[in-house]
Coordinates of all heavy atoms in Angstrom, one line a residue:
G312 N -22.8 2.5 -6.9 CA -21.5 2.0 -7.0 C -21.4 0.7 -7.6 O -22.5 0.1 -7.9
Y313 N -20.3 0.2 -7.9 CA -20.1 -1.2 -8.5 C -18.7 -1.8 -8.0 O -18.0 -1.2 -7.4 CB -20.3 -1.1 -9.9 CG -19.3 -0.3 -10.8 CD1 -18.1 -0.8 -11.1 CD2 -19.6 1.0 -11.1 CE1 -17.1 0.0 -11.8 CE2 -18.8 1.8 -11.9 CZ -17.5 1.3 -12.2 OH -16.7 2.0 -13.0
T314 N -18.5 -2.9 -8.6 CA -17.3 -3.8 -8.2 C -17.5 -4.3 -6.8 O -16.6 -4.4 -6.0 CB -16.0 -3.1 -8.3 OG1 -16.0 -2.3 -9.6 CG2 -14.8 -4.0 -8.3
T315 N -18.8 -4.6 -6.4 CA -19.0 -5.1 -5.1 C -18.3 -6.5 -4.9 O -18.5 -7.4 -5.7 CB -20.5 -5.3 -4.7 OG1 -21.1 -4.0 -4.9 CG2 -20.7 -5.7 -3.4
A316 N -17.3 -6.5 -3.9 CA -16.7 -7.8 -3.7 C -16.2 -7.7 -2.2 O -16.4 -6.8 -1.4 CB -15.3 -7.9 -4.5
S317 N -15.8 -8.9 -1.7 CA -15.5 -9.0 -0.3 C -14.1 -8.6 0.1 O -13.2 -8.6 -0.7 CB -15.7 -10.6 0.1 OG -14.8 -11.4 -0.7
V318 N -14.0 -8.3 1.4 CA -12.9 -7.8 2.0 C -12.3 -9.0 2.9 O -13.1 -9.5 3.7 CB -13.0 -6.6 2.9 CG1 -11.9 -6.2 3.6 CG2 -13.3 -5.4 1.8
A319 N -11.1 -9.3 2.8 CA -10.5 -10.3 3.7 C -10.2 -9.9 5.1 O -10.5 -10.6 6.0 CB -9.3 -11.0 3.0
S320 N -9.6 -8.6 5.2 CA -9.2 -8.1 6.5 C -9.1 -6.7 6.5 O -8.9 -6.1 5.4 CB -8.0 -8.8 7.0 OG -6.9 -8.3 6.3
I321 N -9.5 -6.1 7.7 CA -9.1 -4.6 7.8 C -8.5 -4.5 9.1 O -8.8 -4.9 10.1 CB -10.4 -3.8 7.8 CG1 -11.1 -3.8 6.5 CG2 -10.1 -2.3 8.2 CD1 -12.5 -3.1 6.4
T322 N -7.3 -3.8 9.1 CA -6.6 -3.5 10.3 C -6.2 -2.0 10.4 O -6.2 -1.3 9.3 CB -5.2 -4.3 10.4 OG1 -4.5 -3.9 9.2 CG2 -5.5 -5.8 10.3
R323 N -6.0 -1.6 11.6 CA -5.6 -0.1 11.8 C -4.4 0.1 12.6 O -4.2 -0.6 13.7 CB -6.8 0.6 12.4 CG -6.6 2.1 12.7 CD -7.7 2.7 13.4 NE -8.0 2.2 14.8 CZ -7.3 2.6 15.9 NH1 -6.3 3.5 15.8 NH2 -7.5 2.1 17.0
S324 N -3.5 1.0 12.2 CA -2.4 1.4 12.9 C -2.4 2.9 13.0 O -2.0 3.6 12.0 CB -1.1 0.9 12.3 OG 0.0 1.3 13.0
G325 N -2.7 3.5 14.1 CA -2.9 5.0 14.1 C -4.0 5.4 13.3 O -5.2 4.8 13.4
S326 N -3.8 6.3 12.4 CA -4.8 6.8 11.5 C -4.9 6.0 10.1 O -5.7 6.3 9.4 CB -4.6 8.2 11.3 OG -3.5 8.6 10.6
T327 N -3.9 5.1 10.0 CA -3.8 4.4 8.6 C -4.5 3.0 8.8 O -4.2 2.2 9.7 CB -2.4 4.1 8.3 OG1 -1.7 5.4 8.1 CG2 -2.2 3.4 7.0
V328 N -5.5 2.9 7.9 CA -6.2 1.6 7.8 C -5.7 0.9 6.6 O -5.6 1.5 5.5 CB -7.7 1.9 7.7 CG1 -8.5 0.7 7.4 CG2 -8.2 2.7 8.9
T329 N -5.5 -0.4 6.7 CA -5.1 -1.2 5.6 C -6.2 -2.3 5.4 O -6.6 -3.0 6.3 CB -3.7 -2.1 6.1 OG1 -2.7 -1.0 6.3 CG2 -3.3 -2.9 4.9
V330 N -6.5 -2.3 4.1 CA -7.6 -3.2 3.6 C -7.0 -4.2 2.7 O -6.4 -3.9 1.7 CB -8.7 -2.4 2.9 CG1 -9.8 -3.4 2.4 CG2 -9.3 -1.3 3.8
T331 N -7.3 -5.4 3.0 CA -6.8 -6.6 2.2 C -8.0 -7.2 1.5 O -8.9 -7.6 2.2 CB -6.1 -7.6 3.0 OG1 -4.9 -7.1 3.6 CG2 -5.6 -8.8 2.1
L332 N -8.0 -7.3 0.2 CA -9.2 -7.9 -0.6 C -9.0 -9.4 -0.7 O -8.0 -10.0 -0.6 CB -9.1 -7.2 -2.0 CG -9.1 -5.7 -2.1 CD1 -9.0 -5.2 -3.5 CD2 -10.2 -5.1 -1.3
S333 N -10.2 -10.0 -0.8 CA -10.3 -11.4 -0.9 C -9.7 -11.9 -2.4 O -9.3 -13.0 -2.5 CB -11.7 -12.0 -0.7 OG -12.1 -11.6 0.6
A334 N -10.0 -10.9 -3.3 CA -9.5 -11.3 -4.7 C -8.9 -10.1 -5.2 O -9.3 -8.9 -5.0 CB -10.7 -11.7 -5.6
A335 N -7.9 -10.3 -6.1 CA -7.2 -9.1 -6.7 C -8.1 -8.3 -7.6 O -9.1 -8.7 -8.2 CB -6.0 -9.6 -7.6
N336 N -7.9 -6.9 -7.5 CA -8.5 -6.0 -8.3 C -7.4 -5.0 -8.9 O -7.0 -4.1 -8.2 CB -9.6 -5.2 -7.6 CG -10.3 -4.2 -8.4 OD1 -10.0 -3.9 -9.6 ND2 -11.4 -3.6 -7.9
S337 N -7.0 -5.2 -10.0 CA -5.9 -4.4 -10.6 C -6.4 -3.1 -11.2 O -5.6 -2.3 -11.8 CB -5.1 -5.2 -11.7 OG -6.0 -5.5 -12.8
T338 N -7.7 -2.8 -11.2 CA -8.3 -1.6 -11.9 C -8.4 -0.4 -10.8 O -8.7 0.7 -11.2 CB -9.6 -1.9 -12.4 OG1 -10.5 -2.2 -11.5 CG2 -9.5 -3.0 -13.5
L339 N -8.2 -0.8 -9.6 CA -8.3 0.4 -8.6 C -6.9 1.2 -8.7 O -5.9 0.5 -8.9 CB -8.4 -0.2 -7.1 CG -9.8 -0.7 -6.8 CD1 -9.8 -1.3 -5.4 CD2 -10.9 0.4 -6.9
V340 N -7.1 2.5 -8.6 CA -5.8 3.3 -8.6 C -5.8 4.3 -7.4 O -6.8 4.6 -6.8 CB -5.7 4.1 -9.9 CG1 -5.5 3.1 -11.1 CG2 -6.8 5.0 -10.1
T341 N -4.6 4.7 -7.0 CA -4.4 5.6 -6.0 C -5.3 6.9 -6.3 O -5.2 7.4 -7.4 CB -3.1 6.0 -5.7 OG1 -2.3 4.9 -5.3 CG2 -2.8 7.2 -4.8
G342 N -6.0 7.4 -5.3 CA -6.9 8.5 -5.6 C -8.4 8.1 -5.8 O -9.3 9.0 -5.7
D343 N -8.6 6.9 -6.1 CA -10.0 6.4 -6.2 C -10.7 6.5 -4.9 O -10.1 6.4 -3.8 CB -10.1 4.9 -6.6 CG -9.9 4.7 -8.2 OD1 -10.0 5.8 -8.9 OD2 -9.8 3.6 -8.7
Y344 N -12.1 6.6 -4.9 CA -12.9 6.6 -3.7 C -13.6 5.2 -3.7 O -14.2 4.8 -4.7 CB -13.9 7.7 -3.7 CG -13.2 9.1 -3.5 CD1 -12.7 9.7 -4.6 CD2 -13.2 9.6 -2.3 CE1 -12.1 10.9 -4.4 CE2 -12.6 10.9 -2.0 CZ -12.0 11.6 -3.2 OH -11.5 12.7 -3.0
V345 N -13.5 4.5 -2.6 CA -14.3 3.3 -2.4 C -15.3 3.4 -1.2 O -15.0 4.2 -0.3 CB -13.3 2.0 -2.2 CG1 -12.4 1.9 -3.4 CG2 -12.6 2.2 -0.8
K346 N -16.3 2.5 -1.2 CA -17.2 2.5 -0.2 C -17.2 1.2 0.6 O -17.4 0.1 -0.1 CB -18.7 2.8 -0.7 CG -19.8 2.9 0.4 CD -21.1 3.3 -0.3 CE -22.1 3.5 0.8 NZ -23.4 4.0 0.3
L347 N -16.9 1.2 1.9 CA -16.9 -0.1 2.7 C -18.2 -0.2 3.4 O -18.8 0.9 3.9 CB -15.7 0.1 3.7 CG -14.3 0.2 3.1 CD1 -13.3 0.2 4.3 CD2 -14.0 -1.2 2.3
S348 N -18.6 -1.4 3.6 CA -20.0 -1.6 4.4 C -19.8 -3.0 5.0 O -19.0 -3.8 4.6 CB -21.1 -1.6 3.4 OG -21.0 -2.6 2.4
G349 N -20.6 -3.2 6.1 CA -20.7 -4.5 6.7 C -19.8 -4.6 7.9 O -19.8 -5.7 8.6
A350 N -18.9 -3.7 8.2 CA -18.0 -3.8 9.4 C -18.8 -3.6 10.7 O -19.6 -2.6 10.8 CB -16.8 -2.8 9.4
V351 N -18.7 -4.5 11.6 CA -19.4 -4.3 12.9 C -18.8 -3.0 13.6 O -19.7 -2.3 14.2 CB -19.1 -5.5 13.8 CG1 -19.5 -5.3 15.2 CG2 -19.7 -6.8 13.2
E352 N -17.6 -2.7 13.5 CA -17.1 -1.5 13.9 C -17.4 -0.4 12.9 O -16.6 -0.2 11.9 CB -15.6 -1.6 14.1 CG -15.1 -2.6 15.1 CD -15.2 -4.0 14.6 OE1 -15.3 -4.3 13.4 OE2 -15.2 -5.1 15.3

C-alpha cells in the first residue's frame, strides 16, 4: 500500500466510523479501500 499518513481522530457512532485525517488528501474517492493501523482498539 501507499499514501501512508497520520490520522487525527477516529470516532464511532453505531456502526459508522468517522476518520479525520491530519492533512488533506483530495485523491481518495468513495469506494476506495484504505488500511488503518496503530489503533490501540
Side-chain angles (χ1 to χ4, degrees):
Y313 61 83
T314 314
T315 302
S317 62
V318 169
S320 68
I321 296 180
T322 58
R323 180 182 64 83
S324 177
S326 62
T327 300
V328 174
T329 299
V330 179
T331 302
L332 308 180
S333 298
N336 181 351
S337 60
T338 64
L339 291 174
V340 298
T341 294
D343 277 352
Y344 291 82
V345 301
K346 185 173 185 177
L347 296 176
S348 61
V351 172
E352 300 76 15

